[in-house]
mmCIF file with all atom_site columns, all heavy atoms in Angstrom:
data_model
loop_
_atom_site.group_PDB
_atom_site.id
_atom_site.type_symbol
_atom_site.label_atom_id
_atom_site.label_alt_id
_atom_site.label_comp_id
_atom_site.label_asym_id
_atom_site.label_entity_id
_atom_site.label_seq_id
_atom_site.pdbx_PDB_ins_code
_atom_site.Cartn_x
_atom_site.Cartn_y
_atom_site.Cartn_z
_atom_site.occupancy
_atom_site.B_iso_or_equiv
_atom_site.pdbx_formal_charge
_atom_site.auth_seq_id
_atom_site.auth_comp_id
_atom_site.auth_asym_id
_atom_site.auth_atom_id
_atom_site.pdbx_PDB_model_num
ATOM 1   N N   . ARG J 1 39  ? 70.892 -3.356  -9.775  1.00 0.00 ? 41  ARG J N   1
ATOM 2   C CA  . ARG J 1 39  ? 69.806 -4.282  -10.125 1.00 0.00 ? 41  ARG J CA  1
ATOM 3   C C   . ARG J 1 39  ? 70.106 -5.649  -9.908  1.00 0.00 ? 41  ARG J C   1
ATOM 4   O O   . ARG J 1 39  ? 69.330 -6.563  -9.339  1.00 0.00 ? 41  ARG J O   1
ATOM 5   C CB  . ARG J 1 39  ? 69.198 -3.997  -11.524 1.00 0.00 ? 41  ARG J CB  1
ATOM 6   C CG  . ARG J 1 39  ? 67.942 -4.524  -11.811 1.00 0.00 ? 41  ARG J CG  1
ATOM 7   C CD  . ARG J 1 39  ? 67.486 -4.105  -13.208 1.00 0.00 ? 41  ARG J CD  1
ATOM 8   N NE  . ARG J 1 39  ? 66.203 -4.709  -13.371 1.00 0.00 ? 41  ARG J NE  1
ATOM 9   C CZ  . ARG J 1 39  ? 65.608 -4.939  -14.603 1.00 0.00 ? 41  ARG J CZ  1
ATOM 10  N NH1 . ARG J 1 39  ? 66.309 -4.758  -15.658 1.00 0.00 ? 41  ARG J NH1 1
ATOM 11  N NH2 . ARG J 1 39  ? 64.469 -5.623  -14.686 1.00 0.00 ? 41  ARG J NH2 1
ATOM 12  N N   . SER J 1 68  ? 54.831 -29.283 9.759   1.00 0.00 ? 70  SER J N   1
ATOM 13  C CA  . SER J 1 68  ? 53.613 -29.792 9.172   1.00 0.00 ? 70  SER J CA  1
ATOM 14  C C   . SER J 1 68  ? 52.784 -28.627 8.662   1.00 0.00 ? 70  SER J C   1
ATOM 15  O O   . SER J 1 68  ? 53.363 -27.532 8.477   1.00 0.00 ? 70  SER J O   1
ATOM 16  C CB  . SER J 1 68  ? 52.721 -30.468 10.364  1.00 0.00 ? 70  SER J CB  1
ATOM 17  O OG  . SER J 1 68  ? 52.806 -29.730 11.448  1.00 0.00 ? 70  SER J OG  1
ATOM 18  N N   . ASN J 1 69  ? 51.575 -28.773 8.351   1.00 0.00 ? 71  ASN J N   1
ATOM 19  C CA  . ASN J 1 69  ? 50.695 -27.747 7.789   1.00 0.00 ? 71  ASN J CA  1
ATOM 20  C C   . ASN J 1 69  ? 51.218 -27.205 6.435   1.00 0.00 ? 71  ASN J C   1
ATOM 21  O O   . ASN J 1 69  ? 51.019 -26.028 6.103   1.00 0.00 ? 71  ASN J O   1
ATOM 22  C CB  . ASN J 1 69  ? 50.432 -26.643 8.679   1.00 0.00 ? 71  ASN J CB  1
ATOM 23  C CG  . ASN J 1 69  ? 49.864 -27.020 10.080  1.00 0.00 ? 71  ASN J CG  1
ATOM 24  O OD1 . ASN J 1 69  ? 49.021 -27.894 10.116  1.00 0.00 ? 71  ASN J OD1 1
ATOM 25  N ND2 . ASN J 1 69  ? 50.480 -26.609 11.157  1.00 0.00 ? 71  ASN J ND2 1
ATOM 26  N N   . ALA J 1 88  ? 52.842 -4.560  -6.429  1.00 0.00 ? 90  ALA J N   1
ATOM 27  C CA  . ALA J 1 88  ? 54.209 -4.015  -6.672  1.00 0.00 ? 90  ALA J CA  1
ATOM 28  C C   . ALA J 1 88  ? 54.212 -3.539  -8.152  1.00 0.00 ? 90  ALA J C   1
ATOM 29  O O   . ALA J 1 88  ? 54.978 -2.740  -8.581  1.00 0.00 ? 90  ALA J O   1
ATOM 30  C CB  . ALA J 1 88  ? 55.326 -4.895  -6.385  1.00 0.00 ? 90  ALA J CB  1
ATOM 31  N N   . ARG J 1 89  ? 53.597 -4.311  -9.026  1.00 0.00 ? 91  ARG J N   1
ATOM 32  C CA  . ARG J 1 89  ? 53.751 -4.092  -10.499 1.00 0.00 ? 91  ARG J CA  1
ATOM 33  C C   . ARG J 1 89  ? 52.756 -3.014  -10.869 1.00 0.00 ? 91  ARG J C   1
ATOM 34  O O   . ARG J 1 89  ? 53.037 -2.370  -11.905 1.00 0.00 ? 91  ARG J O   1
ATOM 35  C CB  . ARG J 1 89  ? 53.267 -5.354  -11.295 1.00 0.00 ? 91  ARG J CB  1
ATOM 36  C CG  . ARG J 1 89  ? 54.537 -6.304  -11.264 1.00 0.00 ? 91  ARG J CG  1
ATOM 37  C CD  . ARG J 1 89  ? 54.327 -7.225  -12.436 1.00 0.00 ? 91  ARG J CD  1
ATOM 38  N NE  . ARG J 1 89  ? 55.411 -8.262  -12.484 1.00 0.00 ? 91  ARG J NE  1
ATOM 39  C CZ  . ARG J 1 89  ? 55.173 -9.451  -12.723 1.00 0.00 ? 91  ARG J CZ  1
ATOM 40  N NH1 . ARG J 1 89  ? 53.992 -9.958  -12.957 1.00 0.00 ? 91  ARG J NH1 1
ATOM 41  N NH2 . ARG J 1 89  ? 56.143 -10.296 -12.678 1.00 0.00 ? 91  ARG J NH2 1
ATOM 42  N N   . VAL J 1 91  ? 51.660 -0.363  -8.925  1.00 0.00 ? 93  VAL J N   1
ATOM 43  C CA  . VAL J 1 91  ? 51.831 0.852   -8.287  1.00 0.00 ? 93  VAL J CA  1
ATOM 44  C C   . VAL J 1 91  ? 52.535 1.853   -9.214  1.00 0.00 ? 93  VAL J C   1
ATOM 45  O O   . VAL J 1 91  ? 53.463 1.522   -10.016 1.00 0.00 ? 93  VAL J O   1
ATOM 46  C CB  . VAL J 1 91  ? 52.561 0.707   -6.998  1.00 0.00 ? 93  VAL J CB  1
ATOM 47  C CG1 . VAL J 1 91  ? 54.071 0.266   -7.226  1.00 0.00 ? 93  VAL J CG1 1
ATOM 48  C CG2 . VAL J 1 91  ? 52.618 2.082   -6.213  1.00 0.00 ? 93  VAL J CG2 1
ATOM 49  N N   . PRO J 1 355 ? 64.767 10.700  -0.521  1.00 0.00 ? 357 PRO J N   1
ATOM 50  C CA  . PRO J 1 355 ? 65.951 11.112  -1.326  1.00 0.00 ? 357 PRO J CA  1
ATOM 51  C C   . PRO J 1 355 ? 65.965 10.178  -2.575  1.00 0.00 ? 357 PRO J C   1
ATOM 52  O O   . PRO J 1 355 ? 65.754 8.999   -2.470  1.00 0.00 ? 357 PRO J O   1
ATOM 53  C CB  . PRO J 1 355 ? 67.145 10.657  -0.321  1.00 0.00 ? 357 PRO J CB  1
ATOM 54  C CG  . PRO J 1 355 ? 66.396 10.687  1.045   1.00 0.00 ? 357 PRO J CG  1
ATOM 55  C CD  . PRO J 1 355 ? 64.952 10.219  0.866   1.00 0.00 ? 357 PRO J CD  1
ATOM 56  N N   . ASN J 1 359 ? 65.093 11.453  -9.082  1.00 0.00 ? 361 ASN J N   1
ATOM 57  C CA  . ASN J 1 359 ? 65.936 10.841  -10.019 1.00 0.00 ? 361 ASN J CA  1
ATOM 58  C C   . ASN J 1 359 ? 65.110 9.597   -10.564 1.00 0.00 ? 361 ASN J C   1
ATOM 59  O O   . ASN J 1 359 ? 65.226 9.293   -11.809 1.00 0.00 ? 361 ASN J O   1
ATOM 60  C CB  . ASN J 1 359 ? 67.176 10.248  -9.345  1.00 0.00 ? 361 ASN J CB  1
ATOM 61  C CG  . ASN J 1 359 ? 68.052 11.457  -8.740  1.00 0.00 ? 361 ASN J CG  1
ATOM 62  O OD1 . ASN J 1 359 ? 67.642 11.963  -7.739  1.00 0.00 ? 361 ASN J OD1 1
ATOM 63  N ND2 . ASN J 1 359 ? 69.044 11.813  -9.303  1.00 0.00 ? 361 ASN J ND2 1
ATOM 64  N N   . TYR J 1 369 ? 70.730 10.843  -17.790 1.00 0.00 ? 371 TYR J N   1
ATOM 65  C CA  . TYR J 1 369 ? 71.526 10.911  -16.694 1.00 0.00 ? 371 TYR J CA  1
ATOM 66  C C   . TYR J 1 369 ? 72.411 12.270  -16.473 1.00 0.00 ? 371 TYR J C   1
ATOM 67  O O   . TYR J 1 369 ? 72.320 12.908  -15.592 1.00 0.00 ? 371 TYR J O   1
ATOM 68  C CB  . TYR J 1 369 ? 72.494 9.771   -16.528 1.00 0.00 ? 371 TYR J CB  1
ATOM 69  C CG  . TYR J 1 369 ? 72.187 8.742   -15.493 1.00 0.00 ? 371 TYR J CG  1
ATOM 70  C CD1 . TYR J 1 369 ? 72.734 7.465   -15.486 1.00 0.00 ? 371 TYR J CD1 1
ATOM 71  C CD2 . TYR J 1 369 ? 71.198 9.073   -14.604 1.00 0.00 ? 371 TYR J CD2 1
ATOM 72  C CE1 . TYR J 1 369 ? 72.412 6.444   -14.555 1.00 0.00 ? 371 TYR J CE1 1
ATOM 73  C CE2 . TYR J 1 369 ? 70.912 7.989   -13.651 1.00 0.00 ? 371 TYR J CE2 1
ATOM 74  C CZ  . TYR J 1 369 ? 71.494 6.856   -13.678 1.00 0.00 ? 371 TYR J CZ  1
ATOM 75  O OH  . TYR J 1 369 ? 71.053 5.808   -12.751 1.00 0.00 ? 371 TYR J OH  1
ATOM 76  N N   . VAL V 2 24  ? 76.537 -5.416  12.503  1.00 0.00 ? 25  VAL V N   1
ATOM 77  C CA  . VAL V 2 24  ? 76.360 -3.960  12.658  1.00 0.00 ? 25  VAL V CA  1
ATOM 78  C C   . VAL V 2 24  ? 77.404 -3.139  11.850  1.00 0.00 ? 25  VAL V C   1
ATOM 79  O O   . VAL V 2 24  ? 77.044 -2.157  11.152  1.00 0.00 ? 25  VAL V O   1
ATOM 80  C CB  . VAL V 2 24  ? 76.378 -3.548  14.176  1.00 0.00 ? 25  VAL V CB  1
ATOM 81  C CG1 . VAL V 2 24  ? 76.469 -2.047  14.420  1.00 0.00 ? 25  VAL V CG1 1
ATOM 82  C CG2 . VAL V 2 24  ? 75.271 -4.151  14.878  1.00 0.00 ? 25  VAL V CG2 1
ATOM 83  N N   . ILE V 2 37  ? 71.242 9.325   -5.129  1.00 0.00 ? 38  ILE V N   1
ATOM 84  C CA  . ILE V 2 37  ? 70.219 8.972   -6.154  1.00 0.00 ? 38  ILE V CA  1
ATOM 85  C C   . ILE V 2 37  ? 69.703 7.470   -5.842  1.00 0.00 ? 38  ILE V C   1
ATOM 86  O O   . ILE V 2 37  ? 68.668 7.170   -6.267  1.00 0.00 ? 38  ILE V O   1
ATOM 87  C CB  . ILE V 2 37  ? 70.720 9.089   -7.523  1.00 0.00 ? 38  ILE V CB  1
ATOM 88  C CG1 . ILE V 2 37  ? 71.945 8.182   -7.827  1.00 0.00 ? 38  ILE V CG1 1
ATOM 89  C CG2 . ILE V 2 37  ? 70.933 10.525  -8.050  1.00 0.00 ? 38  ILE V CG2 1
ATOM 90  C CD1 . ILE V 2 37  ? 72.168 8.044   -9.214  1.00 0.00 ? 38  ILE V CD1 1
ATOM 91  N N   . THR V 2 40  ? 66.606 5.776   -2.311  1.00 0.00 ? 41  THR V N   1
ATOM 92  C CA  . THR V 2 40  ? 65.233 5.316   -2.377  1.00 0.00 ? 41  THR V CA  1
ATOM 93  C C   . THR V 2 40  ? 65.209 3.707   -2.707  1.00 0.00 ? 41  THR V C   1
ATOM 94  O O   . THR V 2 40  ? 64.688 2.930   -2.051  1.00 0.00 ? 41  THR V O   1
ATOM 95  C CB  . THR V 2 40  ? 64.199 5.887   -3.386  1.00 0.00 ? 41  THR V CB  1
ATOM 96  O OG1 . THR V 2 40  ? 64.280 7.432   -2.875  1.00 0.00 ? 41  THR V OG1 1
ATOM 97  C CG2 . THR V 2 40  ? 62.930 5.418   -3.296  1.00 0.00 ? 41  THR V CG2 1
ATOM 98  N N   . HIS V 2 50  ? 64.533 -7.373  5.112   1.00 0.00 ? 51  HIS V N   1
ATOM 99  C CA  . HIS V 2 50  ? 64.086 -7.775  6.500   1.00 0.00 ? 51  HIS V CA  1
ATOM 100 C C   . HIS V 2 50  ? 62.777 -8.595  6.327   1.00 0.00 ? 51  HIS V C   1
ATOM 101 O O   . HIS V 2 50  ? 62.319 -9.099  7.398   1.00 0.00 ? 51  HIS V O   1
ATOM 102 C CB  . HIS V 2 50  ? 63.946 -6.588  7.402   1.00 0.00 ? 51  HIS V CB  1
ATOM 103 C CG  . HIS V 2 50  ? 62.814 -5.579  7.155   1.00 0.00 ? 51  HIS V CG  1
ATOM 104 N ND1 . HIS V 2 50  ? 61.555 -5.954  6.822   1.00 0.00 ? 51  HIS V ND1 1
ATOM 105 C CD2 . HIS V 2 50  ? 62.946 -4.260  7.017   1.00 0.00 ? 51  HIS V CD2 1
ATOM 106 C CE1 . HIS V 2 50  ? 60.818 -4.871  6.550   1.00 0.00 ? 51  HIS V CE1 1
ATOM 107 N NE2 . HIS V 2 50  ? 61.611 -3.887  6.691   1.00 0.00 ? 51  HIS V NE2 1
ATOM 108 N N   . VAL V 2 60  ? 56.802 -21.075 12.636  1.00 0.00 ? 61  VAL V N   1
ATOM 109 C CA  . VAL V 2 60  ? 55.575 -21.019 13.551  1.00 0.00 ? 61  VAL V CA  1
ATOM 110 C C   . VAL V 2 60  ? 54.393 -21.895 12.997  1.00 0.00 ? 61  VAL V C   1
ATOM 111 O O   . VAL V 2 60  ? 53.766 -22.582 13.770  1.00 0.00 ? 61  VAL V O   1
ATOM 112 C CB  . VAL V 2 60  ? 55.115 -19.628 13.832  1.00 0.00 ? 61  VAL V CB  1
ATOM 113 C CG1 . VAL V 2 60  ? 53.788 -19.406 14.404  1.00 0.00 ? 61  VAL V CG1 1
ATOM 114 C CG2 . VAL V 2 60  ? 56.163 -18.841 14.736  1.00 0.00 ? 61  VAL V CG2 1
ATOM 115 N N   . MET V 2 61  ? 54.133 -21.611 11.837  1.00 0.00 ? 62  MET V N   1
ATOM 116 C CA  . MET V 2 61  ? 52.963 -22.297 11.128  1.00 0.00 ? 62  MET V CA  1
ATOM 117 C C   . MET V 2 61  ? 53.200 -23.642 11.034  1.00 0.00 ? 62  MET V C   1
ATOM 118 O O   . MET V 2 61  ? 52.331 -24.515 11.263  1.00 0.00 ? 62  MET V O   1
ATOM 119 C CB  . MET V 2 61  ? 52.869 -21.600 9.697   1.00 0.00 ? 62  MET V CB  1
ATOM 120 C CG  . MET V 2 61  ? 51.757 -22.107 8.822   1.00 0.00 ? 62  MET V CG  1
ATOM 121 S SD  . MET V 2 61  ? 50.264 -21.259 9.427   1.00 0.00 ? 62  MET V SD  1
ATOM 122 C CE  . MET V 2 61  ? 49.113 -22.169 8.470   1.00 0.00 ? 62  MET V CE  1
ATOM 123 N N   . GLY V 2 62  ? 54.547 -24.126 10.705  1.00 0.00 ? 63  GLY V N   1
ATOM 124 C CA  . GLY V 2 62  ? 54.728 -25.582 10.620  1.00 0.00 ? 63  GLY V CA  1
ATOM 125 C C   . GLY V 2 62  ? 54.747 -26.307 11.944  1.00 0.00 ? 63  GLY V C   1
ATOM 126 O O   . GLY V 2 62  ? 54.523 -27.531 11.838  1.00 0.00 ? 63  GLY V O   1
ATOM 127 N N   . ASP V 2 94  ? 63.210 -3.647  -8.006  1.00 0.00 ? 95  ASP V N   1
ATOM 128 C CA  . ASP V 2 94  ? 63.552 -3.893  -9.355  1.00 0.00 ? 95  ASP V CA  1
ATOM 129 C C   . ASP V 2 94  ? 62.929 -2.980  -10.347 1.00 0.00 ? 95  ASP V C   1
ATOM 130 O O   . ASP V 2 94  ? 63.645 -2.552  -11.174 1.00 0.00 ? 95  ASP V O   1
ATOM 131 C CB  . ASP V 2 94  ? 63.130 -5.305  -9.657  1.00 0.00 ? 95  ASP V CB  1
ATOM 132 C CG  . ASP V 2 94  ? 63.753 -5.910  -11.032 1.00 0.00 ? 95  ASP V CG  1
ATOM 133 O OD1 . ASP V 2 94  ? 65.008 -5.835  -11.146 1.00 0.00 ? 95  ASP V OD1 1
ATOM 134 O OD2 . ASP V 2 94  ? 63.012 -6.098  -11.919 1.00 0.00 ? 95  ASP V OD2 1
ATOM 135 N N   . ARG V 2 95  ? 61.747 -2.703  -10.081 1.00 0.00 ? 96  ARG V N   1
ATOM 136 C CA  . ARG V 2 95  ? 60.948 -1.652  -11.010 1.00 0.00 ? 96  ARG V CA  1
ATOM 137 C C   . ARG V 2 95  ? 61.634 -0.381  -10.951 1.00 0.00 ? 96  ARG V C   1
ATOM 138 O O   . ARG V 2 95  ? 61.960 0.331   -11.994 1.00 0.00 ? 96  ARG V O   1
ATOM 139 C CB  . ARG V 2 95  ? 59.607 -1.508  -10.568 1.00 0.00 ? 96  ARG V CB  1
ATOM 140 C CG  . ARG V 2 95  ? 58.763 -2.564  -11.329 1.00 0.00 ? 96  ARG V CG  1
ATOM 141 C CD  . ARG V 2 95  ? 57.193 -2.225  -11.157 1.00 0.00 ? 96  ARG V CD  1
ATOM 142 N NE  . ARG V 2 95  ? 56.911 -0.829  -11.681 1.00 0.00 ? 96  ARG V NE  1
ATOM 143 C CZ  . ARG V 2 95  ? 55.803 -0.205  -11.448 1.00 0.00 ? 96  ARG V CZ  1
ATOM 144 N NH1 . ARG V 2 95  ? 54.920 -0.652  -10.576 1.00 0.00 ? 96  ARG V NH1 1
ATOM 145 N NH2 . ARG V 2 95  ? 55.526 0.971   -12.101 1.00 0.00 ? 96  ARG V NH2 1
ATOM 146 N N   . PHE V 2 100 ? 66.768 3.045   -14.108 1.00 0.00 ? 101 PHE V N   1
ATOM 147 C CA  . PHE V 2 100 ? 68.053 3.560   -14.133 1.00 0.00 ? 101 PHE V CA  1
ATOM 148 C C   . PHE V 2 100 ? 68.872 2.900   -15.302 1.00 0.00 ? 101 PHE V C   1
ATOM 149 O O   . PHE V 2 100 ? 69.646 3.361   -15.949 1.00 0.00 ? 101 PHE V O   1
ATOM 150 C CB  . PHE V 2 100 ? 68.810 3.310   -12.856 1.00 0.00 ? 101 PHE V CB  1
ATOM 151 C CG  . PHE V 2 100 ? 68.414 4.272   -11.723 1.00 0.00 ? 101 PHE V CG  1
ATOM 152 C CD1 . PHE V 2 100 ? 67.390 4.007   -10.851 1.00 0.00 ? 101 PHE V CD1 1
ATOM 153 C CD2 . PHE V 2 100 ? 69.005 5.504   -11.682 1.00 0.00 ? 101 PHE V CD2 1
ATOM 154 C CE1 . PHE V 2 100 ? 66.935 4.734   -9.888  1.00 0.00 ? 101 PHE V CE1 1
ATOM 155 C CE2 . PHE V 2 100 ? 68.592 6.339   -10.669 1.00 0.00 ? 101 PHE V CE2 1
ATOM 156 C CZ  . PHE V 2 100 ? 67.591 5.968   -9.750  1.00 0.00 ? 101 PHE V CZ  1
#
Side-chain angles (χ1 to χ4, degrees):
Chain J
R41 200 172 175 202
S70 45
N71 305 317
R91 281 204 183 133
V93 64
N361 302 73
Y371 255 164
Chain V
V25 168
I38 57 160
T41 304
H51 70 48
V61 163
M62 185 73 186
D95 189 60
R96 271 192 63 195
F101 285 94

